[in-house]
Amino acid sequence: MAGGFVGGGGVGKKRAELYEGRITSYFILACVVGSLGGSLFGYDLGVSSGVTSMDDFLAVFFPAVYRRKQAHLHETDYCKYDDQVLTLFTSALYFAALFSTFAASFLTRRRGRTASILFGSVSFFLGGSVNAAAVSIPMLIAGRILLGVGIGFGNQAVPLYLSEIAPHKIRGAVNQLFQLTTCLGILVADFINYFTAKIHPWGWRLSLGLATVPATLMFLGGLFLPETPNSLVEQGRLEEARRVLEKVRGTSRVDAEFEDLKEASEAARAVKHPFRNLFERRNRPQLVIGALCIPAFQQLSGQNSILFYAPVMFQSLGMGSSASLYSNIISGSMLVLGALVSMLLVDRLGRRFLFIEAGLQMISSMVVVATILALKLDDGEMLPRELAIVLVVAICAFVVAYGWSWGPLGWLVPSEIFPLETRSAGQSMVVCVNMFFTAAIAQCFLAMLCHLRWGVFVLFAALIIFMSIFIILLLPETKQVPIEEMAELWERHWYWKRIVLKDRERKNQNQNQSLEQGIRREEDL
């Protein structure tokens, strides 16, 4: 789902104590626009899940699915919605976001963060408009692709903007604001779907078209946003960067922070091949944990399967259309609650605690869901009311646990652990891996539900067990560890120290050999 960055290359250990500033109107404006960026992503996540369960929408674009649904209206059927074109309606957005990330990275680096924010909002507006007016499946998919491009640019630029514009002491909380507003966007979409489902036959058009509202607000807000000092320094516009920094911080005493920005920018420019550096042995922990496993695990937890298809899933399990959408509102509320809990506790209890506790809760929830479905739905009966309530409670327990763990931490932890010279490359890989698995799960879940039936939830439980063991064994605690000291975690870790220290020993040996060869040459001369 949504994410964040740690901007500016971190905070110098000594100079950080000299930073001055206060909360200013520019910073508040940045938070508002950032919130709109998160809500765009969340709104689309939520609205697509509800629209795909609406009869009026299915009758226009997927008549075969509509007829199959009507034929099984009063009984459960895991395969009611098993249609690859229908799932493409959801997954096309994430495939588009995956590929647009590369262009977004280039534009964000060369033209600044606000340029990407403006471009993303325009693309999202066009996508919402095309979807609302769609009369054919190609037009529908084209709109989804435009929405995906908007999300690709927004997810690249908005969290980066927030991290760079925020005072360093509250950067962690601001970083998670994007995740919170993503969850709120999902919840708003759930409410809208609940009411538009009752507007026949065009309620689904209203759900899709309302995406243009936050896109318009984000575009207008982006016109007034100052570019981040980090971006201006990267572009060599030093005087302008200092003026913006003074305005954002509300003080002229910004010498210490400005010097750190310049040094970080010079160090970043000195790295010629960041992707190549990312694959060096000394960066193996960050590559494995931050760029590959955590973004993949975030999607393999099964949360987005529930998020994308909750109304569809509830209807497949015998609940009516209104009941399924209402249940989706409840689960969306749990996601918001989880995000708030994470913001409050992540710097107190630590990342590992939230990961591990949530893992146990999520595994238990999936086991409960699988057990109910295995015992009561294999014979095609409708789910009894009491068990339907238990099912919704179990799914809510799963969602709230994800909301305070893999949801926000799946983005926060990678943003913390990459060193300066590989941070841009590492974050690009995080986004790409995340979007790839998001799209893959979105495309495959309904087919998995059809063929594996209740076993799909057993599969997710098994994956979460593996993910939790991975966290216990291989992720050190990063709570309140300065970014400059993050490398020391790997040197103290029981497993990663073998790789990192061995790499350092090898480099020291190479340096000593070079010195010895130089001394011999001088002696020969």
Side-chain angles (χ1 to χ4, degrees), residues 187-217:
L187 184 59
V188 169
D190 291 338
F191 275 105
I192 289 175
N193 283 335
Y194 180 77
F195 290 106
T196 58
K198 302 175 182 180
I199 303 175
H200 304 287
W202 51 271
W204 62 271
R205 294 188 185 277
L206 182 60
S207 287
L208 296 175
L210 284 174
T212 59
V213 175
T216 301
L217 294 175

Side-chain angles (χ1 to χ4, degrees), residues 187 190 325-335 392 396 399:
L187 184 59
D190 291 338
L325 289 172
Y326 186 69
S327 299
N328 209 32
I329 291 174
I330 296 174
S331 61
S333 301
M334 293 300 101
L335 197 60
V392 172
C396 287
V399 170

Side-chain angles (χ1 to χ4, degrees), residues 11 18 35 81 84 124 128 150 172 244 279 292 300 307 324 487 500:
V11 176
L18 304 177
S35 299
Y81 294 88
Q84 288 301 296
F124 202 91
V244 171
F279 285 88
L292 299 177
L300 293 175
L307 186 64
S324 65
V500 175

Side-chain angles (χ1 to χ4, degrees), residues 147-437:
L147 288 169
V149 172
I151 284 178
F153 276 80
N155 280 15
Q156 181 75 253
V158 172
L160 179 59
Y161 188 96
L162 286 174
S163 288
E164 291 180 348
I165 210 74
H168 76 280
K169 291 182 179 179
I170 59 172
R171 184 169 290 147
V174 173
N175 186 285
Q176 292 210 35
L177 179 64
F178 189 74
Q179 174 70 17
L180 174 63
T181 53
T182 298
C183 298
L184 288 171
I186 294 170
L187 184 59
V188 169
D190 291 338
F191 275 105
I192 289 175
N193 283 335
Y194 180 77
F195 290 106
T196 58
K198 302 175 182 180
I199 303 175
H200 304 287
W202 51 271
W204 62 271
R205 294 188 185 277
L206 182 60
S207 287
L208 296 175
L210 284 174
T212 59
V213 175
T216 301
L217 294 175
M218 190 169 83
F219 178 81
L220 295 176
L223 293 175
F224 295 97
L225 281 179
E227 187 55 80
T228 69
N230 308 61
S231 178
L232 293 171
V233 169
E234 287 177 5
Q235 298 173 47
R237 298 154 62 183
L238 298 181
E239 293 184 6
E240 185 179 354
R242 184 180 178 94
R243 287 198 302 271
V244 171
L245 185 62
E246 291 177 355
K247 204 165 188 179
V248 169
R249 297 290 180 257
T251 178
S252 60
R253 296 189 292 272
V254 295
D255 294 336
E257 186 171 3
F258 189 62
E259 287 302 316
D260 275 347
L261 291 180
K262 291 194 295 183
E263 289 181 8
S265 179
E266 291 170 2
R269 281 197 296 265
V271 177
K272 303 300 181 183
H273 304 286
F275 279 97
R276 186 185 302 172
N277 287 355
L278 182 62
F279 285 88
E280 290 185 0
R281 185 183 180 93
R282 62 190 173 90
N283 292 321
R284 190 72 51 78
Q286 296 93 321
L287 173 66
V288 172
I289 293 177
L292 299 177
C293 290
I294 284 185
F297 290 163
Q298 188 184 48
Q299 306 310 318
L300 293 175
S301 66
Q303 161 62 16
N304 276 352
S305 301
I306 294 173
L307 186 64
F308 294 151
Y309 301 117
V312 168
M313 183 177 67
F314 285 135
Q315 286 191 26
S316 296
L317 303 180
M319 298 185 186
S321 178
S322 296
S324 65
L325 289 172
Y326 186 69
S327 299
N328 209 32
I329 291 174
I330 296 174
S331 61
S333 301
M334 293 300 101
L335 197 60
V336 173
L337 176 61
L340 289 171
V341 170
S342 183
M343 290 183 69
L344 293 173
L345 299 181
V346 67
D347 288 322
R348 298 180 185 178
L349 300 179
R351 284 65 163 154
R352 279 170 54 87
F353 176 86
L354 291 179
F355 270 131
I356 296 168
E357 186 282 330
L360 295 173
Q361 187 168 323
M362 292 163 72
I363 293 166
S364 302
S365 298
M366 288 293 97
V367 170
V368 170
V369 172
T371 301
I372 291 176
L373 301 188
L375 294 177
K376 291 296 181 182
L377 290 181
D378 271 353
D379 55 2
E381 296 178 3
M382 287 190 64
L383 198 66
R385 183 175 181 275
E386 294 76 11
L387 286 181
I389 293 174
V390 175
L391 183 68
V392 172
V393 170
I395 289 177
C396 287
F398 178 93
V399 170
V400 74
Y402 176 90
W404 65 54
S405 60
W406 286 97
L409 302 186
W411 294 97
L412 177 60
V413 171
S415 74
E416 292 178 322
I417 64 178
F418 289 116
L420 172 67
E421 62 270 19
T422 63
R423 191 164 301 151
S424 61
Q427 189 60 42
S428 294
M429 285 197 65
V430 170
V431 174
C432 288
V433 171
N434 185 283
M435 287 299 167
F436 173 79
F437 278 93

Side-chain angles (χ1 to χ4, degrees), residues 502-518:
K502 189 173 182 178
D503 181 72
R504 179 186 293 182
E505 291 172 1
R506 180 178 57 81
K507 289 191 173 182
N508 289 338
Q509 290 175 357
N510 292 338
Q511 291 177 353
N512 292 335
Q513 290 175 358
S514 299
L515 288 174
E516 291 174 0
Q517 291 173 358

Side-chain angles (χ1 to χ4, degrees), residues 30-143:
C31 288
V32 171
V33 175
S35 299
L36 292 170
S39 64
L40 281 181
F41 187 30
Y43 184 84
D44 191 81
L45 284 170
V47 79
S48 60
S49 68
V51 165
T52 51
S53 70
M54 294 183 185
D55 289 345
D56 294 326
F57 174 81
L58 294 174
V60 174
F61 297 104
F62 305 98
V65 176
Y66 175 73
R67 288 192 297 269
R68 191 159 63 238
K69 176 184 173 183
Q70 297 304 310
H72 301 283
L73 187 62
H74 299 296
E75 63 181 67
T76 59
D77 187 346
Y78 289 97
C79 300
K80 281 181 184 178
Y81 294 88
D82 183 22
D83 184 289
Q84 288 301 296
V85 180
L86 176 61
T87 54
L88 183 63
F89 170 74
T90 298
S91 62
L93 181 141
Y94 302 102
F95 284 119
L98 166 63
F99 291 108
S100 67
T101 296
F102 298 102
S105 178
F106 177 83
L107 182 63
T108 301
R109 186 174 63 254
R110 293 296 181 88
R111 298 297 181 184
R113 289 41 165 160
T114 55
S116 285
I117 290 173
L118 292 173
F119 186 93
S121 60
V122 170
S123 182
F124 202 91
F125 180 91
L126 293 175
S129 300
V130 171
N131 270 174
V135 295
S136 65
I137 289 180
M139 190 174 179
L140 197 66
I141 300 301

